């Protein structure tokens, strides 16, 4: 199964700032990495080690819980963050 995903560090974001989130996980075979907010998938990387999401200007409505999930045929692991 994929190793637990890792986020691109600790981020503090102010409204109006550009945000780039990168989440990655290592596995063999390569995982499918998905970044979602609630049930809405925001970005997917198929058989790549990481997925990225860029917001041109952060806004209060972007706040909330996100989930980075890595999966392959051997299992899955995930990381929730705000």
């Amino acid at each position: 199964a994929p190793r637990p995903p890792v986020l691109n560090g600790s981020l503090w974001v102010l409204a109006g700032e550009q945000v780039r989130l990168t989440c990655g996980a290592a596995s063999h075979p390569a995982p499918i990495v998905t970044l979602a907010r609630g049930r809405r998938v925001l970005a997917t990387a198929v058989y790549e080690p990481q997925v990225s999401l860029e917001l041109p200007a952060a806004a209060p409505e972007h706040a909330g819980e996100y989930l980075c999930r890595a999966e392959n045929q051997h299992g899955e692991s995930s990381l929730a963050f705000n």
Side-chain angles (χ1 to χ4, degrees), residues 5-8 11 19-24 32-46 50-55 64-71 77-82:
V6 176
L7 195 61
N8 63 332
L11 293 173
V19 179
R20 182 177 173 87
L21 297 171
T22 303
C23 185
I32 297 173
V33 184
T34 305
L35 187 57
R37 182 170 179 220
R39 293 180 180 222
R40 183 172 174 224
V41 174
L42 304 173
T44 302
V46 179
Q50 67 183 26
V51 66
S52 294
L53 172 70
E54 193 166 313
L55 301 172
E65 187 170 281
Y66 290 76
L67 182 71
C68 180
R69 180 176 173 210
E71 62 183 303
S77 56
S78 61
L79 170 69
F81 60 96
N82 288 311

